[in-house]
Amino acid sequence: HLRCIIMAPKEPPACRLVAVDGNGTLLGADGSTISDFTRDVVLRLEAQDIPVVLTTGRPFEKAKATLERAGMQRFVLTENGARAVRIEDSVPLYEMWLEGQEVAPVLQRIKDALPSSCFAQLTADGGLIDE
């Protein structure tokens, strides 16, 4: 007979990073305010060397004001995960952009199923193309 023993750790693992969504999580119902309590928690975590990372669909350039208001100082995931940016110098640490020919068949299927749908494309430099 095979016996499996699972031993729970005596203490939970140390927190190494906190990732938060913007709308409805970090930001208030109005989509722009950050409570004093939330900002205090972010600052306390950052002071303990635990990065607090905003994850957003917005481009980095549009997320800067939120990052400042929240007191986030290290990293941000933008464009729905297409970029990871170091905040202090705006340097992208990771980027993965899909080429138009990669997404064209998917978009066509959506357009066929939902003829009134519309799309916007984010560019690598933070621009927006409405289609």
Side-chain angles (χ1 to χ4, degrees), residues 113-128:
L114 302 167
S116 63
S117 61
C118 58
F119 301 90
Q121 175 184 350
L122 293 173
T123 62
D125 62 359
L128 183 66

Side-chain angles (χ1 to χ4, degrees), residues 3-93:
R3 290 177 52 179
C4 180
I5 300 173
I6 299 174
M7 299 187 63
K10 293 179 182 177
E11 293 182 32
C15 180
R16 295 176 30 194
L17 179 137
V18 174
V20 295
D21 176 56
N23 298 336
T25 305
L26 177 71
L27 301 172
D30 64 1
S32 64
T33 57
I34 298 171
S35 72
D36 291 338
F37 174 81
T38 300
R39 181 174 164 77
D40 183 54
V41 169
V42 169
L43 294 174
R44 286 190 347 231
L45 288 166
E46 292 274 356
Q48 294 175 43
D49 204 28
I50 300 170
V52 181
V53 177
L54 174 66
T55 61
T56 181
R58 299 173 187 174
F60 176 67
E61 295 73 15
K62 303 256 189 233
K64 282 182 180 179
T66 299
L67 297 167
E68 276 185 27
R69 284 194 310 273
M72 294 179 178
Q73 304 167 11
R74 301 210 195 147
F75 309 105
V76 59
L77 296 177
T78 63
E79 287 98 355
N80 292 316
R83 286 170 88 188
V85 180
R86 187 172 49 222
I87 295 168
E88 69 181 343
D89 55 8
S90 305
V91 170
L93 303 174

